[in-house]
Amino acid sequence: AQKVTQAQTEISVVEKEDVTLDCVYETRDTTYYLFWYKQPPSGELVFLIRRNSFDEQNEISGRYSWNFQKSTSSFNFTITASQVVDSAVYFCALSEANTGNQFYFGTGTSLTVIP
Amino acid sequence: EAGVAQSPRYKIIEKRQSVAFWCNPISGHATLYWYQQILGQGPKLLIQFQNNGVVDDSQLPKDRFSAERLKGVDSTLKIQPAKLEDSAVYLCASSSSLGPFEAFFGQGTRLTVV
């Protein structure tokens, strides 16, 4: 069973628009961690954020914000006022406490920001 | 701080040939991972090391893939013999310890098997 689902395969927005990337996860663990990574064309996965299952506080970092809702098993990522440099593939990942920090990645959402 | 180094960046081989990838993690990072990323998919864990011991290799096709991490630092991943379906990007990552710490990824090795 897919532990992390990113239903949006590709998204295109015009520069300065806001965009939300969806992530739905599945786990039976009570202790788990959620991550977002960015993969630019260079190929390297860049860490963006980590959230643990006991902290549902939303987080904002500059133009990035994350909305964690345990009730819907979602961990969505919003980019405000998108820029061309935001164009990349974004991956949501889940790590469960009882599986030694193995990351289960979603299939990714390819974001294109059009100037 | 230097990041995770991987080589080569690109490799093209014929099926049934062998190939090896090298990874140098961030200094001091005890946990090292190898992931396979097939085009259009998310990375899939192949093997995870803690120092020089294997933590998880349940998804490593052991009939053709092997990996080692001698002295708990550098690691090599080998495929022998390669199949067409092994065409993918092989990503190495490291984290400071075993636990829910963020992993830092290298740029990967893009393997094409023809």
Side-chain angles (χ1 to χ4, degrees):
Chain A
Q2 187 73 16
K3 287 183 176 284
V4 178
T5 302
Q6 294 180 257
Q8 304 149 309
T9 305
E10 295 180 3
I11 300 177
S12 291
V13 298
V14 176
E15 198 171 22
K16 297 183 184 177
E17 286 184 345
D18 299 346
V19 59
T20 295
L21 309 182
D22 298 333
C23 173
V24 174
Y25 62 91
E26 179 184 331
T27 181
R28 294 182 179 179
D29 277 15
T30 55
T31 303
Y32 54 89
Y33 301 83
L34 296 163
F35 300 78
W36 275 96
Y37 278 85
K38 174 182 180 180
Q39 188 173 43
S42 62
E44 185 172 343
L45 281 157
V46 178
F47 167 78
L48 296 177
I49 190 172
R50 179 188 70 198
R51 217 70 184 132
N52 74 58
S53 51
F54 300 107
D55 184 2
E56 285 193 74
Q57 222 174 10
N58 291 332
E59 182 159 338
I60 298 174
S61 176
R63 296 185 296 107
Y64 295 170
S65 62
W66 291 270
N67 182 4
F68 176 27
Q69 292 193 345
K70 289 178 73 171
S71 60
T72 56
S73 296
S74 65
F75 186 44
N76 296 337
F77 173 31
T78 297
I79 302 174
T80 302
S82 60
Q83 299 177 1
V84 173
V85 293
D86 296 328
S87 297
V89 181
Y90 291 86
F91 289 96
C92 181
L94 166 72
S95 174
E96 296 165 319
N98 67 352
T99 55
N101 197 32
Q102 174 184 158
F103 288 80
Y104 297 97
F105 284 88
T107 51
T109 297
S110 177
L111 174 66
T112 300
V113 180
I114 303 166
Chain B
E1 179 184 76
V4 176
Q6 288 189 247
S7 67
R9 286 296 312 277
Y10 306 92
K11 191 74 177 179
I12 300 174
I13 62 172
E14 295 183 350
K15 59 183 179 183
R16 291 187 290 273
Q17 285 187 324
S18 61
V19 64
F21 313 129
W22 173 82
C23 172
N24 185 20
I26 292 173
S27 178
H29 278 193
T31 307
L32 184 146
Y33 314 80
W34 282 101
Y35 283 86
Q36 180 193 57
Q37 186 177 18
I38 293 173
L39 186 64
Q41 299 182 17
K44 183 187 80 172
L45 179 71
L46 292 175
I47 189 167
Q48 179 181 344
F49 293 95
Q50 177 70 6
N51 296 310
N52 60 351
V54 175
V55 174
D56 185 348
D57 64 356
S58 58
Q59 298 187 81
L60 186 74
K62 298 181 185 64
D63 57 334
R64 297 184 302 107
F65 286 64
S66 65
E68 60 183 8
R69 191 184 184 196
L70 299 176
K71 301 179 182 178
V73 181
D74 292 8
S75 177
T76 56
L77 175 69
K78 296 179 182 177
I79 307 175
Q80 181 180 355
K83 293 185 175 182
L84 296 177
E85 59 261 35
D86 298 332
S87 295
V89 175
Y90 290 85
L91 294 162
C92 180
S94 69
S95 63
S96 59
S97 186
L98 192 63
F101 302 106
E102 58 266 31
F104 296 86
F105 285 79
Q107 290 187 301
T109 297
R110 183 176 298 277
L111 173 67
T112 303
V113 182
V114 298

